[in-house]
PDB file of all heavy atoms in Angstrom:
ATOM      1  N   LEU A   1       0.827  -1.201  -0.001  1.00 95.00           N
ATOM      2  CA  LEU A   1      -0.001  -0.010   0.012  1.00 95.00           C
ATOM      3  C   LEU A   1       0.869   1.265   0.012  1.00 95.00           C
ATOM      4  O   LEU A   1       0.569   2.250  -0.656  1.00 95.00           O
ATOM      5  CB  LEU A   1      -0.933   0.003   1.216  1.00 95.00           C
ATOM      6  CG  LEU A   1      -2.011  -1.084   1.279  1.00 95.00           C
ATOM      7  CD1 LEU A   1      -2.762  -1.029   2.630  1.00 95.00           C
ATOM      8  CD2 LEU A   1      -2.978  -0.976   0.125  1.00 95.00           C
ATOM      9  N   ALA A   2       1.976   1.200   0.754  1.00 92.00           N
ATOM     10  CA  ALA A   2       2.879   2.354   0.815  1.00 92.00           C
ATOM     11  C   ALA A   2       3.575   2.599  -0.527  1.00 92.00           C
ATOM     12  O   ALA A   2       3.624   3.752  -0.981  1.00 92.00           O
ATOM     13  CB  ALA A   2       3.930   2.125   1.918  1.00 92.00           C
ATOM     14  N   VAL A   3       4.039   1.533  -1.135  1.00 92.00           N
ATOM     15  CA  VAL A   3       4.726   1.708  -2.436  1.00 92.00           C
ATOM     16  C   VAL A   3       3.772   2.279  -3.472  1.00 92.00           C
ATOM     17  O   VAL A   3       4.127   3.231  -4.202  1.00 92.00           O
ATOM     18  CB  VAL A   3       5.249   0.326  -2.895  1.00 92.00           C
ATOM     19  CG1 VAL A   3       5.751   0.468  -4.360  1.00 92.00           C
ATOM     20  CG2 VAL A   3       6.398  -0.141  -2.018  1.00 92.00           C
ATOM     21  N   GLY A   4       2.550   1.796  -3.526  1.00 94.00           N
ATOM     22  CA  GLY A   4       1.587   2.312  -4.482  1.00 94.00           C
ATOM     23  C   GLY A   4       1.195   3.752  -4.191  1.00 94.00           C
ATOM     24  O   GLY A   4       1.112   4.586  -5.112  1.00 94.00           O
ATOM     25  N   SER A   5       1.040   4.100  -2.910  1.00 94.00           N
ATOM     26  CA  SER A   5       0.603   5.457  -2.542  1.00 94.00           C
ATOM     27  C   SER A   5       1.722   6.455  -2.773  1.00 94.00           C
ATOM     28  O   SER A   5       1.529   7.523  -3.369  1.00 94.00           O
ATOM     29  CB  SER A   5       0.167   5.493  -1.087  1.00 94.00           C
ATOM     30  OG  SER A   5      -0.919   4.654  -0.859  1.00 94.00           O
ATOM     31  N   TYR A   6       2.936   6.148  -2.237  1.00 92.00           N
ATOM     32  CA  TYR A   6       4.020   7.129  -2.269  1.00 92.00           C
ATOM     33  C   TYR A   6       4.621   7.280  -3.664  1.00 92.00           C
ATOM     34  O   TYR A   6       4.901   8.404  -4.101  1.00 92.00           O
ATOM     35  CB  TYR A   6       5.105   6.712  -1.279  1.00 92.00           C
ATOM     36  CG  TYR A   6       4.662   6.636   0.151  1.00 92.00           C
ATOM     37  CD1 TYR A   6       5.098   5.610   0.980  1.00 92.00           C
ATOM     38  CD2 TYR A   6       3.720   7.559   0.688  1.00 92.00           C
ATOM     39  CE1 TYR A   6       4.698   5.518   2.307  1.00 92.00           C
ATOM     40  CE2 TYR A   6       3.300   7.460   1.994  1.00 92.00           C
ATOM     41  CZ  TYR A   6       3.773   6.456   2.793  1.00 92.00           C
ATOM     42  OH  TYR A   6       3.354   6.337   4.094  1.00 92.00           O
ATOM     43  N   TRP A   7       4.864   6.159  -4.317  1.00 90.00           N
ATOM     44  CA  TRP A   7       5.582   6.205  -5.609  1.00 90.00           C
ATOM     45  C   TRP A   7       4.687   6.319  -6.792  1.00 90.00           C
ATOM     46  O   TRP A   7       4.939   7.159  -7.664  1.00 90.00           O
ATOM     47  CB  TRP A   7       6.480   4.975  -5.702  1.00 90.00           C
ATOM     48  CG  TRP A   7       7.700   5.144  -4.827  1.00 90.00           C
ATOM     49  CD1 TRP A   7       7.793   4.855  -3.510  1.00 90.00           C
ATOM     50  CD2 TRP A   7       8.984   5.597  -5.213  1.00 90.00           C
ATOM     51  NE1 TRP A   7       9.040   5.154  -3.035  1.00 90.00           N
ATOM     52  CE2 TRP A   7       9.813   5.598  -4.050  1.00 90.00           C
ATOM     53  CE3 TRP A   7       9.522   6.057  -6.423  1.00 90.00           C
ATOM     54  CZ2 TRP A   7      11.109   6.029  -4.088  1.00 90.00           C
ATOM     55  CZ3 TRP A   7      10.847   6.463  -6.428  1.00 90.00           C
ATOM     56  CH2 TRP A   7      11.634   6.438  -5.292  1.00 90.00           C
ATOM     57  N   ILE A   8       3.651   5.526  -6.888  1.00 92.00           N
ATOM     58  CA  ILE A   8       2.831   5.578  -8.059  1.00 92.00           C
ATOM     59  C   ILE A   8       1.959   6.837  -8.054  1.00 92.00           C
ATOM     60  O   ILE A   8       1.817   7.561  -9.057  1.00 92.00           O
ATOM     61  CB  ILE A   8       1.939   4.318  -8.170  1.00 92.00           C
ATOM     62  CG1 ILE A   8       2.830   3.085  -8.332  1.00 92.00           C
ATOM     63  CG2 ILE A   8       0.947   4.429  -9.325  1.00 92.00           C
ATOM     64  CD1 ILE A   8       2.077   1.753  -8.368  1.00 92.00           C
ATOM     65  N   ILE A   9       1.301   7.128  -6.890  1.00 94.00           N
ATOM     66  CA  ILE A   9       0.442   8.305  -6.806  1.00 94.00           C
ATOM     67  C   ILE A   9       1.230   9.581  -6.453  1.00 94.00           C
ATOM     68  O   ILE A   9       1.145  10.576  -7.162  1.00 94.00           O
ATOM     69  CB  ILE A   9      -0.658   8.074  -5.775  1.00 94.00           C
ATOM     70  CG1 ILE A   9      -1.583   6.898  -6.224  1.00 94.00           C
ATOM     71  CG2 ILE A   9      -1.525   9.328  -5.574  1.00 94.00           C
ATOM     72  CD1 ILE A   9      -2.634   6.519  -5.226  1.00 94.00           C
ATOM     73  N   GLY A  10       2.028   9.516  -5.405  1.00 92.00           N
ATOM     74  CA  GLY A  10       2.743  10.720  -4.916  1.00 92.00           C
ATOM     75  C   GLY A  10       3.767  11.269  -5.874  1.00 92.00           C
ATOM     76  O   GLY A  10       3.659  12.407  -6.268  1.00 92.00           O
ATOM     77  N   LEU A  11       4.740  10.445  -6.274  1.00 91.00           N
ATOM     78  CA  LEU A  11       5.794  10.948  -7.127  1.00 91.00           C
ATOM     79  C   LEU A  11       5.305  11.256  -8.534  1.00 91.00           C
ATOM     80  O   LEU A  11       5.718  12.232  -9.147  1.00 91.00           O
ATOM     81  CB  LEU A  11       6.934   9.924  -7.207  1.00 91.00           C
ATOM     82  CG  LEU A  11       7.960  10.001  -6.045  1.00 91.00           C
ATOM     83  CD1 LEU A  11       9.061   9.008  -6.286  1.00 91.00           C
ATOM     84  CD2 LEU A  11       8.531  11.381  -5.886  1.00 91.00           C
ATOM     85  N   ALA A  12       4.414  10.402  -9.054  1.00 93.00           N
ATOM     86  CA  ALA A  12       3.881  10.690 -10.383  1.00 93.00           C
ATOM     87  C   ALA A  12       3.095  12.009 -10.389  1.00 93.00           C
ATOM     88  O   ALA A  12       3.244  12.812 -11.286  1.00 93.00           O
ATOM     89  CB  ALA A  12       2.937   9.526 -10.808  1.00 93.00           C
ATOM     90  N   SER A  13       2.313  12.236  -9.366  1.00 94.00           N
ATOM     91  CA  SER A  13       1.564  13.491  -9.264  1.00 94.00           C
ATOM     92  C   SER A  13       2.522  14.689  -9.133  1.00 94.00           C
ATOM     93  O   SER A  13       2.304  15.735  -9.759  1.00 94.00           O
ATOM     94  CB  SER A  13       0.629  13.478  -8.055  1.00 94.00           C
ATOM     95  OG  SER A  13      -0.324  12.471  -8.207  1.00 94.00           O
ATOM     96  N   SER A  14       3.591  14.532  -8.344  1.00 93.00           N
ATOM     97  CA  SER A  14       4.565  15.589  -8.189  1.00 93.00           C
ATOM     98  C   SER A  14       5.197  15.967  -9.523  1.00 93.00           C
ATOM     99  O   SER A  14       5.336  17.174  -9.858  1.00 93.00           O
ATOM    100  CB  SER A  14       5.662  15.158  -7.153  1.00 93.00           C
ATOM    101  OG  SER A  14       5.125  15.058  -5.867  1.00 93.00           O
ATOM    102  N   TYR A  15       5.632  14.972 -10.257  1.00 94.00           N
ATOM    103  CA  TYR A  15       6.279  15.206 -11.537  1.00 94.00           C
ATOM    104  C   TYR A  15       5.335  15.903 -12.518  1.00 94.00           C
ATOM    105  O   TYR A  15       5.668  16.890 -13.179  1.00 94.00           O
ATOM    106  CB  TYR A  15       6.809  13.920 -12.138  1.00 94.00           C
ATOM    107  CG  TYR A  15       7.553  14.167 -13.448  1.00 94.00           C
ATOM    108  CD1 TYR A  15       8.891  14.480 -13.467  1.00 94.00           C
ATOM    109  CD2 TYR A  15       6.887  14.030 -14.661  1.00 94.00           C
ATOM    110  CE1 TYR A  15       9.578  14.718 -14.661  1.00 94.00           C
ATOM    111  CE2 TYR A  15       7.554  14.276 -15.864  1.00 94.00           C
ATOM    112  CZ  TYR A  15       8.884  14.565 -15.834  1.00 94.00           C
ATOM    113  OH  TYR A  15       9.520  14.834 -17.038  1.00 94.00           O
ATOM    114  N   ILE A  16       4.121  15.349 -12.597  1.00 95.00           N
ATOM    115  CA  ILE A  16       3.140  15.895 -13.564  1.00 95.00           C
ATOM    116  C   ILE A  16       2.777  17.353 -13.225  1.00 95.00           C
ATOM    117  O   ILE A  16       2.781  18.250 -14.082  1.00 95.00           O
ATOM    118  CB  ILE A  16       1.877  15.037 -13.623  1.00 95.00           C
ATOM    119  CG1 ILE A  16       2.199  13.668 -14.214  1.00 95.00           C
ATOM    120  CG2 ILE A  16       0.773  15.707 -14.405  1.00 95.00           C
ATOM    121  CD1 ILE A  16       1.106  12.659 -14.093  1.00 95.00           C
ATOM    122  N   LEU A  17       2.513  17.649 -11.952  1.00 94.00           N
ATOM    123  CA  LEU A  17       2.118  18.975 -11.550  1.00 94.00           C
ATOM    124  C   LEU A  17       3.281  19.949 -11.677  1.00 94.00           C
ATOM    125  O   LEU A  17       3.085  21.114 -12.067  1.00 94.00           O
ATOM    126  CB  LEU A  17       1.613  18.963 -10.104  1.00 94.00           C
ATOM    127  CG  LEU A  17       0.241  18.239  -9.913  1.00 94.00           C
ATOM    128  CD1 LEU A  17      -0.096  18.106  -8.446  1.00 94.00           C
ATOM    129  CD2 LEU A  17      -0.870  18.962 -10.631  1.00 94.00           C
ATOM    130  N   ALA A  18       4.489  19.505 -11.296  1.00 92.00           N
ATOM    131  CA  ALA A  18       5.641  20.422 -11.315  1.00 92.00           C
ATOM    132  C   ALA A  18       6.133  20.700 -12.712  1.00 92.00           C
ATOM    133  O   ALA A  18       6.453  21.873 -13.033  1.00 92.00           O
ATOM    134  CB  ALA A  18       6.774  19.839 -10.473  1.00 92.00           C
ATOM    135  N   PHE A  19       6.232  19.698 -13.576  1.00 94.00           N
ATOM    136  CA  PHE A  19       6.899  19.871 -14.870  1.00 94.00           C
ATOM    137  C   PHE A  19       5.938  19.850 -16.080  1.00 94.00           C
ATOM    138  O   PHE A  19       6.153  20.592 -17.022  1.00 94.00           O
ATOM    139  CB  PHE A  19       7.968  18.773 -15.010  1.00 94.00           C
ATOM    140  CG  PHE A  19       9.047  18.823 -13.920  1.00 94.00           C
ATOM    141  CD1 PHE A  19       9.014  17.928 -12.878  1.00 94.00           C
ATOM    142  CD2 PHE A  19      10.024  19.791 -13.968  1.00 94.00           C
ATOM    143  CE1 PHE A  19       9.964  17.991 -11.889  1.00 94.00           C
ATOM    144  CE2 PHE A  19      10.985  19.862 -12.983  1.00 94.00           C
ATOM    145  CZ  PHE A  19      10.949  18.932 -11.928  1.00 94.00           C
ATOM    146  N   VAL A  20       4.925  19.013 -16.024  1.00 93.00           N
ATOM    147  CA  VAL A  20       4.002  18.984 -17.138  1.00 93.00           C
ATOM    148  C   VAL A  20       3.040  20.185 -17.111  1.00 93.00           C
ATOM    149  O   VAL A  20       2.836  20.857 -18.122  1.00 93.00           O
ATOM    150  CB  VAL A  20       3.210  17.656 -17.144  1.00 93.00           C
ATOM    151  CG1 VAL A  20       2.155  17.632 -18.281  1.00 93.00           C
ATOM    152  CG2 VAL A  20       4.129  16.439 -17.293  1.00 93.00           C
ATOM    153  N   PHE A  21       2.488  20.463 -15.931  1.00 92.00           N
ATOM    154  CA  PHE A  21       1.580  21.577 -15.790  1.00 92.00           C
ATOM    155  C   PHE A  21       2.297  22.873 -15.419  1.00 92.00           C
ATOM    156  O   PHE A  21       1.683  23.922 -15.319  1.00 92.00           O
ATOM    157  CB  PHE A  21       0.467  21.276 -14.765  1.00 92.00           C
ATOM    158  CG  PHE A  21      -0.514  20.322 -15.261  1.00 92.00           C
ATOM    159  CD1 PHE A  21      -0.421  18.948 -14.928  1.00 92.00           C
ATOM    160  CD2 PHE A  21      -1.612  20.700 -15.997  1.00 92.00           C
ATOM    161  CE1 PHE A  21      -1.357  18.033 -15.366  1.00 92.00           C
ATOM    162  CE2 PHE A  21      -2.554  19.793 -16.455  1.00 92.00           C
ATOM    163  CZ  PHE A  21      -2.415  18.443 -16.167  1.00 92.00           C
ATOM    164  N   GLY A  22       3.595  22.770 -15.210  1.00 88.00           N
ATOM    165  CA  GLY A  22       4.412  24.004 -14.969  1.00 88.00           C
ATOM    166  C   GLY A  22       4.191  24.663 -13.651  1.00 88.00           C
ATOM    167  O   GLY A  22       4.453  25.882 -13.540  1.00 88.00           O
ATOM    168  N   LEU A  23       3.743  23.950 -12.606  1.00 89.00           N
ATOM    169  CA  LEU A  23       3.530  24.579 -11.314  1.00 89.00           C
ATOM    170  C   LEU A  23       4.767  24.656 -10.468  1.00 89.00           C
ATOM    171  O   LEU A  23       4.762  25.219  -9.350  1.00 89.00           O
ATOM    172  CB  LEU A  23       2.416  23.802 -10.563  1.00 89.00           C
ATOM    173  CG  LEU A  23       1.031  23.778 -11.211  1.00 89.00           C
ATOM    174  CD1 LEU A  23       0.051  23.006 -10.338  1.00 89.00           C
ATOM    175  CD2 LEU A  23       0.530  25.218 -11.423  1.00 89.00           C
ATOM    176  N   GLY A  24       5.853  24.060 -10.908  1.00 88.00           N
ATOM    177  CA  GLY A  24       7.119  24.172 -10.241  1.00 88.00           C
ATOM    178  C   GLY A  24       7.143  23.611  -8.839  1.00 88.00           C
ATOM    179  O   GLY A  24       6.539  22.540  -8.600  1.00 88.00           O
ATOM    180  N   ALA A  25       7.764  24.337  -7.910  1.00 88.00           N
ATOM    181  CA  ALA A  25       7.939  23.830  -6.541  1.00 88.00           C
ATOM    182  C   ALA A  25       6.598  23.595  -5.874  1.00 88.00           C
ATOM    183  O   ALA A  25       6.432  22.613  -5.148  1.00 88.00           O
ATOM    184  CB  ALA A  25       8.774  24.838  -5.754  1.00 88.00           C
ATOM    185  N   VAL A  26       5.649  24.467  -6.095  1.00 90.00           N
ATOM    186  CA  VAL A  26       4.332  24.308  -5.418  1.00 90.00           C
ATOM    187  C   VAL A  26       3.626  23.063  -5.937  1.00 90.00           C
ATOM    188  O   VAL A  26       3.068  22.282  -5.157  1.00 90.00           O
ATOM    189  CB  VAL A  26       3.436  25.561  -5.700  1.00 90.00           C
ATOM    190  CG1 VAL A  26       2.041  25.305  -5.208  1.00 90.00           C
ATOM    191  CG2 VAL A  26       4.038  26.763  -5.007  1.00 90.00           C
ATOM    192  N   GLY A  27       3.665  22.799  -7.234  1.00 92.00           N
ATOM    193  CA  GLY A  27       3.052  21.591  -7.803  1.00 92.00           C
ATOM    194  C   GLY A  27       3.685  20.339  -7.280  1.00 92.00           C
ATOM    195  O   GLY A  27       2.993  19.349  -7.014  1.00 92.00           O
ATOM    196  N   LEU A  28       5.006  20.382  -7.043  1.00 93.00           N
ATOM    197  CA  LEU A  28       5.704  19.229  -6.506  1.00 93.00           C
ATOM    198  C   LEU A  28       5.154  18.866  -5.131  1.00 93.00           C
ATOM    199  O   LEU A  28       4.912  17.724  -4.806  1.00 93.00           O
ATOM    200  CB  LEU A  28       7.196  19.496  -6.459  1.00 93.00           C
ATOM    201  CG  LEU A  28       8.127  18.318  -6.331  1.00 93.00           C
ATOM    202  CD1 LEU A  28       9.445  18.605  -7.021  1.00 93.00           C
ATOM    203  CD2 LEU A  28       8.386  17.984  -4.828  1.00 93.00           C
TER     204      LEU A  28
END
């Protein structure tokens, strides 16, 4: 559950929000 939550949901969301949507540090 931790691996799925932290890495699949958490890190993927951080990358998409920070770099794909251009929100930078806040998106991360």
Side-chain angles (χ1 to χ4, degrees):
L1 294 175
V3 171
S5 299
Y6 301 141
W7 284 83
I8 297 176
I9 297 176
L11 277 184
S13 298
S14 293
Y15 182 85
I16 292 170
L17 292 172
F19 299 103
V20 177
F21 287 95
L23 297 179
V26 172
L28 197 149

